[in-house]
Amino acid sequence: MHSIPERAYWCNLAEKIRFPNQLLIDGKWCDAQSGKRFPTINPATGAVLELIAEADTADVDRAVNIARQAFADGRWSGLPPRERGRRLIALASLIENHREELALLETLDVGKPIRDSFLVDLPGVVRTFAWHGEAVDKVYDQIAPTDKGSIGMITREPLGVVAAVVPWNFPLEMAAWKVAPALAMGNSVILKPAEQSPLTALRLGELALEAGIPAGVLNVLPGYGPTAGKALGLHQDVDCIAFTGSTEVGKYFLQYSGQSNMKRVWLECGGKSPNIVFADCPNLEEAAQAAAVAIFFNQGEVCSAGSRLLVENSIREEFLEKLIAASKDLQPGDPLDPATRIGAIVSDEQLQRVMGYVATATRQGARLRMGGNQLRTETGGYYLAPTVFDGVTSDMTIAQEEIFGPVLAVIGFDREDEALMIANDSIYGLGAAVWTSNIDRAHRMAKKIHAGTVWINSYEEGDATVPFGGFKQSGFGRDKSLHSMDKYCDLKTTWIHLDVEG
Ligand code: NAD
């Protein structure tokens, strides 16, 4: 693990840091055509960091035209894959060189601890660009086993203009998961960051230019969802939407596609992942610590958070005590202090939403075992104590809806089939974990749980080599791994007739 600078260092850097604040179109900074700007806020203090140019339909039109021209003239799509790969790897190195600056921008913009931005998010972003850059000239096309009188070639072709619409919980990492494979395959890209987190996306666009990705190939449009996001979704000349965000907005994109040009839509949406602990769990202490991190890491603002803890009743009280003890180390603090493991909730609006769920859970009869209250109000920021509700039943609101905050719903069970039924009683199917020392049970559960990822005796492992995405209303299409590249190309079949008789 890399070491991380002290708090004083980050505070000093924060005084001097430059905030990018315009749209990036055709390799140039520009204001929105409306002249409008919106504030981006530091959730740790509630203070406005910067006023950002606000893209709307006219800016979307212009960026799509530019991206289309860039795609059509082949300045990027026409380069040999190896050359595109070389420049993506150069971008990965530039991101690594600007790691402190980017980590700090992320922390200031969304309130996550600097230790996570610096030690988790940024290394993930670097690896994503490097991995796709390294992979792109190792992907082969195919020739089908047809009759000898013909050759059936199956080739991949980039789609054209891809719009990546991403959320605020891992702003740069979610952007990288889309932008890296889309660029690797030769597409032009328009990146629309969430309105809560525009800063690192803009800086990424600037670094891409420096890495040799030609002007117009990666354009960055900060703006609001119902305006800029919708305009991208409805645009007749956008070929693909790669979306990460809520299930509700994911459904809008399916509608926008149907109302416009049937663009491809790939959705990485919400989750309500079950973390299932059986009495034969190999190490209860370890499982309890993992369960605490599974829900409280990144303030609970994680799509695959282990937000439903299913515990076998015979060990429930013992496990809860261990979990609560482990959670004591996860109290919110100043995001710029490297000792802080939990930061601020992204916005006042999100904090109020989460507090609303706390009130609903209490009203519906769940037992509050820990937290539930705001903290650090003197800072002006948005902090919530890690919160645990016991005695939850699967029909309660906090067991069904994605809260996207540090609130854990604990549900007891007595039998394996009951645990499975509760686990699958959800519209979501993103992740799940099973803690058991019985290998047969581990396989049975992994097979029968409806989720894109199942962890056995661990939580939240991931790697660039492994696909990530959901079943059911958690979405479809996969980020990461070679599978992610499939989303950004179409398959073309070319039949060549051969006169083999001569
Ligand atoms: P969100 O759906 O509110 O916003 C996501 C993006 O969509 C933002 O860029 C936003 O501006 C845009 N948007 C919002 N309304 C829109 C509209 N009407 N038309 C077009 N675009 C619109 O989500 P969020 O609050 O930013 O992020 C939290 C959600 O993201 C959670 O549900 C979480 O589970 C999900 N998420 C999923 C994954 C995954 O890989 N499955 C990863 C991270 C986050």
Side-chain angles (χ1 to χ4, degrees), residues 41-199:
I41 287 169
N42 181 353
T45 61
V48 173
L49 286 169
E50 183 64 76
L51 295 174
I52 310 286
E54 181 188 328
D56 205 335
T57 309
D59 310 289
V60 165
D61 275 343
R62 186 167 158 248
V64 173
N65 283 338
I66 295 287
R68 173 64 57 194
Q69 275 170 35
F71 181 72
D73 69 20
R75 71 185 81 160
W76 178 251
S77 56
L79 292 179
R82 184 174 175 175
E83 180 55 25
R84 290 202 300 269
R86 195 186 65 72
R87 297 187 200 188
L88 287 172
I89 293 167
L91 176 55
S93 300
L94 275 172
I95 295 168
E96 174 68 50
N97 295 344
H98 290 81
R99 181 167 157 205
E100 289 181 359
E101 178 198 352
L102 289 162
L104 182 58
L105 286 177
E106 203 81 302
T107 284
L108 292 173
D109 219 8
V110 299
K112 66 168 66 195
I114 192 70
R115 114 190 220 140
D116 291 348
S117 313
F118 189 71
L119 297 176
V120 181
D121 296 28
L122 259 297
V125 172
V126 171
R127 174 136 162 87
T128 301
F129 279 103
W131 194 86
H132 283 93
E134 289 157 6
V136 66
D137 65 347
K138 292 154 195 82
V139 179
Y140 288 71
D141 289 333
Q142 295 173 325
I143 294 183
T146 56
D147 285 353
K148 63 182 178 184
S150 59
I151 295 178
M153 293 187 344
I154 306 165
T155 52
R156 295 157 187 260
E157 297 202 353
L159 296 172
V161 177
V162 171
V165 179
V166 296
W168 45 258
N169 61 337
F170 294 91
L172 197 53
E173 214 172 357
M174 293 303 104
W177 287 7
K178 317 290 187 202
V179 171
L183 287 179
M185 295 312 289
N187 298 281
S188 296
V189 177
I190 295 166
L191 170 61
K192 194 205 86 62
E195 49 273 36
Q196 297 85 347
S197 55
L199 298 176

Side-chain angles (χ1 to χ4, degrees), residues 166-168 192 195 225 243-246 256 268-270 303 402 404:
V166 296
W168 45 258
K192 194 205 86 62
E195 49 273 36
F243 172 76
T244 295
S246 60
Y256 300 153
E268 297 289 345
C269 297
C303 52
E402 183 182 46
F404 225 56

Side-chain angles (χ1 to χ4, degrees), residues 275-284 286-287 310 312 315 319 413 416 419 433-446 449 454-458:
N275 185 14
I276 309 166
V277 185
F278 285 96
D280 63 5
C281 164
N283 184 333
L284 276 191
E286 215 175 88
L310 278 52
E312 195 163 340
I315 54 156
F319 191 80
F413 69 86
E416 184 180 313
V434 179
W435 298 81
T436 176
S437 39
N438 177 335
I439 188 142
D440 297 313
R441 169 178 276 163
H443 275 286
R444 269 195 309 270
M445 292 293 288
I449 291 174
V454 180
W455 294 282
I456 304 294
N457 296 334
S458 68

